[in-house]
Amino acid sequence: GTQRTKRQEPVRTVAASQTPRCYHAETLFDRDTCGTLGNAEITHMGYTVRVDKWRYTEWHTFNGTTGHASCHAMQGGVELYDHQGDDGRDFDGWENVNVVAQAPRKLLQTLSQTVQSAFPRSFAHCSSPRRKLMLFGR
């Protein structure tokens, strides 16, 4: 008999991070005090994933009381930075141009799904049909 072996999929490393923003009319988005306020004061959350060639961020309105993000990114709230060729030696050499407008839709959909998978508690209330990548003007 012939013995079959399962094909191993390559392991993809994903680094994930969250960045809270607190909107207050007098200070707009105050980066310095947001971390000192309670969760209920967090109005927006940036969800970022870094994969081998890309850093991708979606900005969502956020309910700090429930810990839930809105089910779609805010208008203009998607960032994509190309890290192809980044060897880690030039920290300031890579995230200078947001290339989201030029990126293939399939790549953006994949990265958006990666965000959802990386932060399951924030997006647990979003059903698959409601969880959409909202790219305005596309």
Side-chain angles (χ1 to χ4, degrees), residues 31-91:
R31 296 177 183 194
D32 297 326
T33 62
C34 190
T36 63
L37 300 173
N39 286 352
E41 298 295 319
I42 298 171
T43 58
H44 297 80
M45 187 70 72
Y47 295 92
T48 299
V49 291
R50 173 70 163 86
V51 296
D52 53 351
K53 297 178 182 176
W54 307 100
R55 184 177 73 80
Y56 175 82
T57 301
E58 288 184 2
W59 289 95
H60 292 261
T61 54
F62 185 77
N63 182 329
T65 303
T66 65
H68 291 160
S70 60
C71 294
H72 60 274
M74 296 169 25
Q75 181 173 355
V78 179
E79 301 173 39
L80 180 66
Y81 299 97
D82 185 348
H83 279 264
Q84 296 180 65
D86 183 356
D87 62 7
R89 289 189 276 187
D90 184 5
F91 186 74

Side-chain angles (χ1 to χ4, degrees), residues 13 19 67:
T13 302
T19 305

